[in-house]
Amino acid sequence: MTDPGPARVVTTLESRLVLSAPATPEIMDLVHAMLEHLWGTSPDISDRDRMRFEMSVIEILGNVVEHAYAADHSDIPGQDGRRFEIVVGITEENLMAHLGDNGLPTELDLSGVAMPDALAESGRGLALATAALDDLSYERVDGRNLWDLLCLRTAD
Amino acid sequence: MTDPGPARVVTTLESRLVLSAPATPEIMDLVHAMLEHLWGTSPDISDRDRMRFEMSVIEILGNVVEHAYAADHSDIPGQDGRRFEIVVGITEENLMAHLGDNGLPTELDLSGVAMPDALAESGRGLALATAALDDLSYERVDGRNLWDLLCLRTAD
Amino acid sequence: MIEFAVHTRDDGIGVVTPEGRLNMVSARRLKEILSELVSGGTTRIVVDLGETTFLDSSGLGALIGGLKSARQAGGDLRIARVSPAVMTVFELTNLDRVLRARESVEGAFDD
Amino acid sequence: MIEFAVHTRDDGIGVVTPEGRLNMVSARRLKEILSELVSGGTTRIVVDLGETTFLDSSGLGALIGGLKSARQAGGDLRIARVSPAVMTVFELTNLDRVLRARESVEGAFDD
Ligand SMILES: Nc1ncnc2c1ncn2[C@@H]1O[C@H](COP(=O)(O)OP(=O)(O)O)[C@@H](O)[C@H]1O
Ligand SMILES: Nc1ncnc2c1ncn2[C@@H]1O[C@H](COP(=O)(O)OP(=O)(O)O)[C@@H](O)[C@H]1O
């Protein structure tokens, strides 16, 4: 567990986009569409920055969809379903995302994430996101997992 | 002004999709993408129901973007910018949308909306939405405009 | 997202094919395309709606605008290959009478 | 949204072209396509990434899975036409050494 990362400020950005939806694999395409809209509003972001940001957002959200609900019972009728919220935004200096989900807490140690063997077929997501991002933070607050992702913009 | 319409229940639906974003013409494509995701989750909705719902959502949101901010000054630095929120959802019986925006209040009388002359080039949006929807409600609450849209699902 | 395919046939009829959604943003471009065709002398125009997946009141407005300027210049504007979903929008506005849908692009000016 | 174009060339080499985004959902389909090719006897495969606009760890996993089964069957899997943005993902994981990017689909098996 860490403090909120520097990217948390995205939740107050006037130009932010916010999506709240069920945590399903199919929702990924809508998050891609959201990022595509974002790129349209700031055409001067380098391809490399777009890719490392978009890939990291999709990795972290993909983990939420695949792992954060593995052992819980939130699909019992009457209990809140599996939902997440994502906030994305751009400033002159940063690409930022904030993710919140109502899944189970995780004991992941983000500082200990290592790239697996070259021929491994999975287990590369967090390593890829931590390598691509300039900051990644996780905290558990009020029964929610909160992730903050930051890319510092670079020249092309 | 009316009471909240029957479609307001969409805001409590577990499977709802919620988007909050700046009120710009370009955001329309993202709302279309949101509805496309929705159709993917319920492939049994008739083409006619999809079209009358999607068209009505886009008309009402288009009016918010084009008219709800015409005379205000919310772009003065330090004041909240022009933003809207949209909630969409499907049940066995209904297609529902709820829109909220921070624009100016409107004195529109939805019961008096009429289709303009055949050769008019504008002014057809609200008439089209009221003809296509089974219920359309507007109210002003706490400085926000709230719109509720309902289509009863029909067999193809 | 929309693309417009535009071409003028040997018989002088202009064919405009909006591929995708005709909404607020794309209707502006359709309006421009239609008025450029008319002012360039192409006054008989078929709008092929066979690839149009969505239509709203701004799209209708652009079509009516094109119809009026084509007629003023002595020509006409016709629509063809309208899907049932898009047809709904014409029916709701009673514009199916002003802009009668033709089955094919080729035969749109046959009557 | 993604489409996969798959064909086998006269020289027996299979060419798979993912058109769009290779993410969690589409990586499953790529994995299936690659394993069907190998079990059907096509053990030399080029994955043409020239139309791939996005890649994540699940896409990488599908490629590595295909590489391993192709090699086990005596063949190989190679990637071609990788855009700079997609290349970033290979570099960040050091997989640019295991899966060296070839310039063209045609020449991908020349060495
Ligand atoms: N949001 C999460 N909640 C719970 N566990 C997680 C979460 N994200 C990652 N993990 C755990 O960390 C492991 C490594 O994740 P990752 O590097 O993304 O690879 P992969 O998802 O391919 O296994 C996962 O297998 C899972 O056990
Ligand atoms: N959300 C709104 N806020 C303020 N005024 C509105 C709003 N929606 C509609 N109106 C008013 O109602 C009129 C008719 O709207 P509509 O039927 O959609 O046609 P159009 O937008 O083409 O003018 C608009 O011109 C505008 O003056």
Side-chain angles (χ1 to χ4, degrees), chain D residues 30-52:
Chain D
L30 177 58
K31 209 175 142 72
E32 281 165 26
I33 289 169
L34 294 177
S35 75
E36 273 167 31
L37 278 176
V38 172
S39 62
T42 304
T43 61
R44 294 195 302 164
I45 300 172
V46 183
V47 180
D48 177 358
L49 294 175
E51 315 295 327
T52 304

Side-chain angles (χ1 to χ4, degrees), chain C residues 25-43:
Chain C
V25 177
S26 50
R28 286 186 208 144
R29 283 173 53 203
L30 176 59
K31 210 175 142 72
E32 281 165 24
I33 289 169
L34 295 177
S35 74
E36 273 167 31
L37 278 176
V38 173
S39 62
T42 305
T43 62

Side-chain angles (χ1 to χ4, degrees), chain A residues 59 63-64 66-68 104 106 108 122-127 147, chain D residues 57:
Chain A
E59 291 294 348
N63 278 344
V64 168
E66 277 199 320
H67 304 301
L104 295 172
T106 165
L108 283 175
S122 67
R124 235 173 234 110
L126 280 172
W147 297 87
Chain D
S57 69

Side-chain angles (χ1 to χ4, degrees), chain B residues 29 36 59 66 119 121, chain C residues 1 21 24 31 57 68:
Chain B
D29 273 328
E36 208 160 297
E59 291 295 347
E66 277 198 319
L119 293 182
E121 289 177 48
Chain C
M1 270 357 118
R21 299 183 190 113
M24 203 165 153
K31 210 175 142 72
S57 69
K68 289 198 296 191

